[in-house]
Amino acid sequence: MPGCRLVFLGAPGTGKGTQARRLAERFGLTPMSSGDTLRAEIALDTQIGRQAAQYVQSGTLVPDEIVTGVMLEAIRRLPPGQGFILDGFPRTVAQAEALEAGLASRGMRLDAVIDFRIDESLLLQRLVNRRVCSRCGAAYNLVFLPPRVAGICDACGGELVRRADDREEVVATRLRTYELQTAPLIDFFEHRGLLRSVDAARSADEVFCQLVGVIESLDGCG
Ligand code: AMP
């Protein structure tokens, strides 16, 4: 089970990050969010962070070679045999091909790609109501998944903040970017027989149950 290798695919605001954390804990996998990784690089003002900042702030995609380099290196650093959930990577066909090649060169391949399906009209509301913990990164939603105490993270007591790119004008760009550059990955992975899907419009607990069912049905993962 800890060797299972998954990709969570879906538009921003579909709950991929929240579920990746929960599922990773349940199945002993490592959650790997490209967005969190890039935000950490930006916060530390590294060379990669400086290259990525303008794209993250505007809601457009960071160039493929930067993201691919960072994420393949993060996978390479995992202990041998450790499985993972990629959240937000790959986001273009070029990234998907680089991921496949990078895994193949180490004798690995993906077990499944899970598409978080949702009606686009729900996404704007979800994103503008999203709050994230400034300390541990856990995500909440003021409407769908509120914290127990307003403004405070249930998990670590950190302060909840609004991500800069969850402002309405940036959200519109992120959703358009997803449609143009990331949605084509649905066909890409379907052709490889890797695609599964969940109904991401349901409650967080219901989506979690669907995901557990999907993962347990995978050969070598359940
Ligand atoms: P996320 O937290 O997944 O919504 O990502 C936040 C931002 O980080 C995105 O809007 C992009 O600017 C950047 N980003 C995250 N993952 C990728 C990726 N795989 N390729 C390019 N840019 C990315």
Side-chain angles (χ1 to χ4, degrees):
M1 163 63 65
C4 193
R5 292 181 284 263
L6 305 171
V7 168
F8 282 4
L9 191 65
T14 47
K16 301 184 302 294
T18 302
Q19 299 294 347
R21 285 163 174 260
R22 285 181 70 176
L23 266 291
E25 195 173 326
R26 163 79 171 249
F27 290 107
L29 305 170
T30 301
M32 308 180 85
S33 154
S34 49
D36 283 351
T37 305
L38 292 169
R39 281 185 289 277
E41 297 279 348
I42 292 169
L44 291 170
D45 198 26
T46 63
Q47 195 188 344
I48 287 170
R50 285 192 293 275
Q51 288 171 318
Q54 55 170 313
Y55 301 100
V56 174
Q57 278 152 17
S58 65
T60 55
L61 294 188
V62 174
D64 288 333
E65 55 285 5
I66 298 176
V67 183
T68 302
V70 172
M71 296 307 288
L72 289 182
E73 175 56 21
I75 292 172
R76 200 188 59 74
R77 283 201 307 263
L78 292 173
Q82 173 62 36
F84 51 78
I85 302 176
L86 291 171
D87 156 26
F89 175 82
R91 250 176 161 100
T92 64
V93 170
Q95 290 178 21
E97 287 169 346
L99 172 64
E100 265 186 348
L103 291 177
S105 72
R106 305 181 55 219
M108 302 192 290
R109 59 178 205 81
L110 293 173
D111 292 291
V113 174
I114 305 180
D115 182 29
F116 283 54
R117 295 205 180 151
I118 197 166
D119 192 303
E120 207 195 306
S121 60
L122 291 176
L123 291 177
L124 194 63
Q125 199 198 359
R126 285 210 182 189
L127 287 164
V128 297
N129 286 308
R130 176 159 71 177
R131 298 292 181 272
V132 292
C133 175
S134 55
R135 197 183 296 163
C136 75
Y140 296 86
N141 186 288
L142 299 182
V143 180
F144 305 105
L145 194 64
R148 283 194 290 270
V149 179
I152 304 290
C153 177
D154 293 350
C156 77
E159 183 196 0
L160 301 186
V161 296
R162 188 173 184 183
R163 259 172 57 175
D165 61 349
D166 280 345
R167 280 175 294 120
E168 255 122 304
E169 39 319 346
V170 184
V171 161
T173 303
R174 290 167 64 210
L175 293 177
R176 226 177 16 253
T177 302
Y178 169 79
E179 275 309 319
L180 288 174
Q181 294 181 269
T182 308
L185 289 180
I186 295 173
D187 280 350
F188 178 94
F189 286 119
E190 185 140 48
H191 280 132
R192 283 156 171 75
L194 289 173
L195 197 73
R196 307 284 187 280
S197 67
V198 291
D199 176 2
R202 294 177 175 271
S203 72
D205 285 343
E206 286 172 318
V207 176
F208 180 75
C209 288
Q210 290 179 65
L211 286 163
V212 169
V214 170
I215 294 173
E216 287 182 344
S217 75
L218 296 170
D219 273 353
C221 285

